[in-house]
Amino acid sequence: MKKTKTIAFTALLTALCFVLSALLRIPLTEHLVLDLGYIALTAGAYYLGGIPAAAIGAVGALLESMLMGQRGISPGWILMNAIVGYLCGTVFAKIKNEENKKFWWKASLTILLSMLLGVTVKTILDCLIYGLPLAIKIPTGLVAWITDSLVMILFGLPLSLTLKKTVSRIL
């Protein structure tokens, strides 16, 4: 039964990730937005662990780029979200029961580092696939690293911790 609930919750968070990424984006500039889909990815990483969170990130990004993207499917973005979900989910599973202050520091550092790795992979893939100069992609990549990390830290973690008791009854 637990496996069925995990699969169902993964599907639910994947759908939520898609909806939040596609419909509730807050534009900062023409090409840069606050992507609220990272709230669902954070919850998946916190509650389900690395592999389900990687699936949430990858499939959510795939759906959003297929159905809403202006350039079609973005392999770099899909891989980036899988990396972030897997790394955060793996670390969160190990630190979830630590005291609140330690958890926050470790979780925030994990988000920052995993997002940096993910954005780096995305930037390099985008440059290789689309033939873009690295100098053009680095500034937007750095800003995306900061904004996406902030969404996870300022919205995803607090929401995940707030709903901890409710979700633990479901799973």
Side-chain angles (χ1 to χ4, degrees), residues 50-105:
I51 292 176
I56 291 165
V59 176
L62 173 66
L63 290 171
E64 200 278 333
S65 63
M66 272 179 24
L67 300 173
M68 307 298 286
Q70 296 169 351
R71 289 191 204 172
I73 295 174
S74 172
W77 193 45
I78 294 165
L79 185 56
M80 173 189 144
N81 281 285
I83 289 168
V84 171
Y86 179 78
L87 292 175
C88 287
T90 302
V91 173
F92 290 178
K94 293 179 181 183
I95 66 170
K96 190 187 299 196
N97 296 322
E98 291 193 9
E99 71 174 86
N100 200 25
K101 192 174 183 181
K102 277 186 178 180
F103 171 80
W104 272 96
W105 279 108

Side-chain angles (χ1 to χ4, degrees), residues 95-166:
I95 66 170
K96 190 187 299 196
N97 296 322
E98 291 193 9
E99 71 174 86
N100 200 25
K101 192 174 183 181
K102 277 186 178 180
F103 171 80
W104 272 96
W105 279 108
K106 289 179 180 181
S108 297
L109 184 60
T110 299
I111 289 168
L112 288 167
L113 293 175
S114 63
M115 190 63 75
L116 181 61
L117 177 62
V119 167
T120 301
V121 168
K122 179 195 181 305
T123 299
I124 292 169
L125 265 177
D126 284 354
C127 289
L128 291 172
I129 292 170
Y130 303 114
L132 299 169
L134 195 56
I136 290 175
K137 291 295 290 177
I138 288 176
T140 57
L142 288 173
V143 174
W145 166 57
I146 292 166
T147 57
D148 295 344
S149 296
L150 287 176
V151 168
M152 291 180 80
I153 293 167
L154 297 178
F155 300 108
L157 283 177
L159 185 64
S160 296
L161 293 170
T162 301
L163 297 175
K164 187 176 184 176
K165 287 182 183 178
T166 305

